[in-house]
Amino acid sequence: MAEKARIAIFISGAGTNMAALVYASRIAECPYEVVLVASNDPAAAGLALAQAEGIATFAHPHKGMTRDAHDAAMETAVLEAGADTIVLAGYMRILSDGFVERWAGRMLNIHPSLLPLYKGLDTHGRAIAAGDRYAGTSVHLVTPELDAGEVLAQVRVPIAAGDTPDSLAERVKFAEHQLYPRAVAEYVGRWRDPAHLLARLRALALALAETDERESHGSPGFRVGGEKSGKYFAYFADQHHGTPHIALLVRTGSMDELLALVEDQPEIYFKPAYYGASGWVGIILNRPGVDWDEVAEWLHRSWRSVAPKRLTRMMYIADEF
Ligand code: GRF
């Protein structure tokens, strides 16, 4: 089995979601392991459980510290534990934008409402007051805007007659304890799942004008320019020629550019077998935190370099405005 993802869990309170994540990780097939439980409250009940489970813990009160300084202390603990993903589970602090941006695509949260409904606090009280039939919980990616990142998974929980915010919160937690470990497992498994990576790449490649997909030497390839005279601008390579990489291959401007990319950022770029000789670069996709906007830009650039003039001419005109 592939190496497991290493998650750090941030808590502030009871830590029942943290416990659910830990026990799910004890099942052999679980694709993640919990390498750290960290808190802004040394008295958080969940820390004792983590310690009893032999998991590294870190606790540092935020009182008297700036947000940046506290975040930095938490981040140092995360990096020292070698975590690649942060999972917020009842962490009652807003993280600074810089922190959130550094962990973009690698930080998840669980929020007790059916997002986009009821961001922020007192979700259950507000759902009851509104007369909603359902409350629920959502797992989402963390972005600088509070509770606004892409929703990865949700479960609905009915509001029963006579429910109070507390009784509802308790019932929603049963749902959370089922949902969160699965959503985390699914998410951390994604970036090493070739089918997921190919689907994402395909959507970006085929969104460009006059493209089609055609297999080449057993790999999915993407062409521009029509059925007869189409030219390849991208390939999807799944662990070819002994590399562990699942990668996108695109055209660069020159061999010098290719070599500079590989030298400067070997964690992202590599020189692929055969194609490298003609200036194609490999962009590694099976790593956490892939910047898909950057992937889209590479696809666009490679597409532009071989697309027929009648397609690119319009763009250059547009660029001049
Ligand atoms: C959960 O309901 C979660 O949705 C919210 O905070 C609560 C944490 O509970 N973000 P616990 O500490 O995991 O028991």
Side-chain angles (χ1 to χ4, degrees), residues 23-305:
Y23 289 111
S25 79
R26 300 289 192 238
I27 298 168
E29 296 77 32
C30 186
Y32 67 81
E33 60 183 309
V34 181
V35 296
L36 176 74
V37 174
S39 182
N40 60 318
D41 180 359
L47 289 171
L49 170 74
Q51 273 154 11
E53 281 293 340
I55 297 169
T57 59
F58 172 81
H60 204 298
H62 59 269
K63 222 169 165 250
M65 282 177 101
T66 64
R67 189 175 301 283
D68 282 346
H70 188 261
D71 286 358
M74 296 287 283
E75 191 168 18
T76 302
V78 169
L79 296 174
E80 275 171 7
D84 51 46
T85 306
I86 296 177
V87 176
L88 307 180
Y91 187 60
M92 300 305 285
R93 297 266 303 158
I94 292 183
L95 293 156
S96 58
D97 286 359
F99 186 109
V100 172
E101 272 150 23
R102 276 195 297 288
W103 289 87
R106 300 183 292 155
M107 182 154 60
L108 282 66
N109 183 38
I110 190 161
H111 180 76
S113 80
L114 294 171
L115 288 173
L117 292 177
Y118 311 123
K119 297 174 179 171
L121 297 173
D122 189 29
T123 56
H124 302 310
R126 288 189 282 155
I128 292 170
D132 293 355
R133 290 179 57 208
Y134 292 97
T137 183
S138 309
V139 176
H140 64 94
L141 290 177
V142 179
T143 53
E145 195 187 333
L146 186 69
D147 299 330
E150 181 193 342
V151 172
L152 301 172
Q154 277 182 326
V155 170
R156 287 199 318 187
V157 176
I159 298 179
D163 254 338
T164 62
D166 284 349
S167 66
L168 184 54
E170 202 181 327
R171 190 151 4 93
V172 167
K173 279 202 189 186
F174 285 114
E176 294 191 321
H177 299 162
Q178 297 298 317
L179 181 69
Y180 211 7
R182 283 175 209 215
V184 171
E186 215 261 329
Y187 188 74
V188 300
R190 261 188 190 188
W191 59 262
R192 51 187 101 213
D193 170 13
H196 168 80
L197 296 171
L198 173 58
R200 226 165 152 168
L201 194 64
R202 177 180 285 136
L204 293 173
L206 296 181
L208 297 165
E210 279 193 33
T211 47
D212 61 21
E213 179 172 343
R214 181 179 292 190
E215 207 176 83
S216 165
H217 302 284
S219 290
F222 298 92
R223 308 184 319 156
V224 53
E227 186 59 27
K228 284 214 194 74
S229 52
K231 289 213 169 82
Y232 282 100
F233 66 95
Y235 298 98
F236 177 77
D238 183 0
Q239 305 188 42
H240 279 177
H241 308 290
T243 74
H245 310 314
I246 300 175
L248 161 66
L249 310 189
V250 282
R251 297 171 184 272
T252 61
S254 66
M255 185 57 72
D256 283 348
E257 185 190 5
L258 162 58
L259 295 176
L261 287 165
V262 174
E263 189 175 317
D264 294 347
Q265 290 169 283
E267 69 287 0
I268 301 182
Y269 300 105
F270 70 102
K271 186 177 170 197
Y274 304 106
Y275 291 90
S278 11
W280 290 69
V281 70
I283 302 173
I284 303 167
L285 299 175
N286 55 335
R287 64 190 160 89
V290 169
D291 180 344
W292 285 92
D293 290 339
E294 205 168 272
V295 171
E297 270 167 38
W298 269 113
L299 282 168
H300 193 214
R301 190 181 144 189
S302 190
W303 173 92
R304 219 162 45 215
S305 72

